[in-house]
Amino acid sequence: MFRLAEMDTMIQQSEISHRVCRYGAAVCAALFLLQTTAAPYPPQNAPTATQPGPQISPQQLDDLVAPIALYPDPLVGEVLAASTYPMEVAEAEQWVRDHTHWKPSKLMDEAKKQPWDPSIQALAAFPDVLAHLTQDMNWTTQLGNAFLAQQADVMKAVQRMRAKAEAKGTLRSTPQQTVTTQNQGGQSAITIEPANPDVWDVPNYNPAYIWGAPDWGVYPPLLYPGIDAGLGWYPGIDLGLYFGGWGGWGWGGWGWGPNWYGGNMFIDNSFFNRYGFRNFQGGGALGNSTWMHNPQHRLGVPYANREVAGRYAPNGAGGRSGSAMARGSNRGALAPQQRLGSKGFEQRGSTSHHSVFGGYQHGGMTRMQSDRGFGSMGAGRIGGFGGGGHGGGGRR
C-alpha cells in the first residue's frame, strides 16, 4: 500500500515537472529563482497562522498598481486575477509569441485547451498586455501577492490613482475609452470602459507623465513610452475575431469585473460557459459569482506570508501539486532533452529579443536575482522594487 502511494506521488511530480519545462529552460530558471528568493513557506505540518501578515502601505500599493490602473475595468479585473498565477503568465506569453501566425479565432480556441487558469487563457487576446506583465516578473508576482493578501486595499489603490490622474487632467474620456464617476451606497468610483464594446483599446502610458514622480518609492521598472510621448494606445483588439458572436455583449459581458464598492471582484459565469473556457470553477452557468483564487494554478510560487499561504495552500506551496513541484521540479530541468518548447523559443532564449523575463540572458536575470522579496513587497522594504527610477523608461 505504501509503495503504491509512493509511486503515485512520483508520477504526480513527474507530470508537474514535465508541464513546467515544456516551454523551455527560461520558465524553469524563473521557477528556481522564485523558490530561492521568495519568503519561505511554513512546513507542511506547521499550524496555520491566525494573525494577518505584514500590511503593504497605501503608498506602496499606489506604485504597484500604477502600470495597470488606467486599463479598462474588465481588463483590470482579469489582470489582477492573472497576476496571482505568475508562472502561467510567463508560459502564456511565450506560447502566444510562438503562435503569431495563427488567426485570432484559432489562437483563442487553442489557448482554451491549455492547462492554465481562464484568466490566463483569455489574455491570449491581449499580447501587448502579456508582454507588459512579463517584463518584470518580480513586479507581477508582487501585484498578485498584494491582491491575494489585501484585495480591497488594491482596489482602493486603483481608485486613488485614477482620481489623481483625473485631477491632473491625464485621465478623461477619449475616442478609445469612456470615463465616468459612479456612486453607490455613498461611495464613488471612477470607471473606465471601452468606448467601443467590440474593439478594445488598451492604454500604453508612462506613470511619470500621468502622475508625476511618485509620492513614495518608485514605479515598477518596466519599459514605458518616453515622458514626452506620455500616453498612447496599443493596437485595438477586435473581440469578434477571437470570440465568434461577441457583438452585442458589450464590455459588461466580459468574464471579470471589479466590484469597486465591495472591494472584491465578480466573474460572469455566462462568459465562461458560452465560450467554453477550460478550468472554469464558477458558481453556475448563468449570473455572477465572486472570484476565487485557485491554488492549483499557482505552480509552487510562494505566497506572500504565512497567513495567505495558510488560506490558499494549507498543505504547502500552491496546494499538494504545487508543493510537489516546488520540491522536485529542478531535477534535470535544464537538460536539453527535457526542453519541450518549440525550436523557435529555444533560439530566442539566447537573443536580446527574448522578453519573457525582460530578456533574462541580457540583464533580466541579474535584476531578478537582485530584486529580493519575490514573494512579497514587505511592509518595511524601502523603494518597493529594488531599482528603477521615478517612472523613467525608454520608448517602445
Side-chain angles (χ1 to χ4, degrees), residues 152 155-156 159 180-191 258-264 266:
M155 309 287 267
K156 291 177 181 177
Q159 283 297 316
T180 58
T181 299
Q182 300 180 359
N183 294 278
Q184 180 177 312
Q187 301 182 63
S188 63
I190 298 173
T191 64
N259 177 12
W260 300 121
Y261 311 103
N264 58 8
F266 291 131

Side-chain angles (χ1 to χ4, degrees), residues 144-209:
N145 283 343
F147 189 59
L148 290 175
Q150 298 171 236
Q151 193 169 137
D153 293 335
V154 169
M155 309 287 267
K156 291 177 181 177
V158 172
Q159 283 297 316
R160 279 196 303 272
M161 296 304 278
R162 289 183 174 185
K164 291 177 183 178
E166 192 173 55
K168 197 173 183 291
T170 50
L171 175 62
R172 57 185 180 275
S173 294
T174 69
Q176 294 84 11
Q177 66 184 11
T178 301
V179 179
T180 58
T181 299
Q182 300 180 359
N183 294 278
Q184 180 177 312
Q187 301 182 63
S188 63
I190 298 173
T191 64
I192 303 176
E193 304 172 9
N196 182 343
D198 299 324
V199 179
W200 290 13
D201 293 282
V202 180
N204 178 24
Y205 56 88
N206 188 324
Y209 169 83

Side-chain angles (χ1 to χ4, degrees), residues 9 35 69 99 118 126 129 146 151 164 175 205 237 308 319 326 375 379 381:
T9 300
Q35 294 171 18
H99 300 94
F126 300 91
V129 173
Q151 193 169 137
K164 291 177 183 178
Y205 56 88
I237 302 299
V308 177
R381 185 177 175 202

Side-chain angles (χ1 to χ4, degrees), residues 64-71 76 79-80 132-133 139 143 162 205:
L64 189 64
V65 304
I68 65 161
L70 302 190
Y71 282 8
V76 166
V79 166
L80 289 175
H132 200 53
L133 290 173
W139 164 66
L143 180 66
R162 289 183 174 185
Y205 56 88

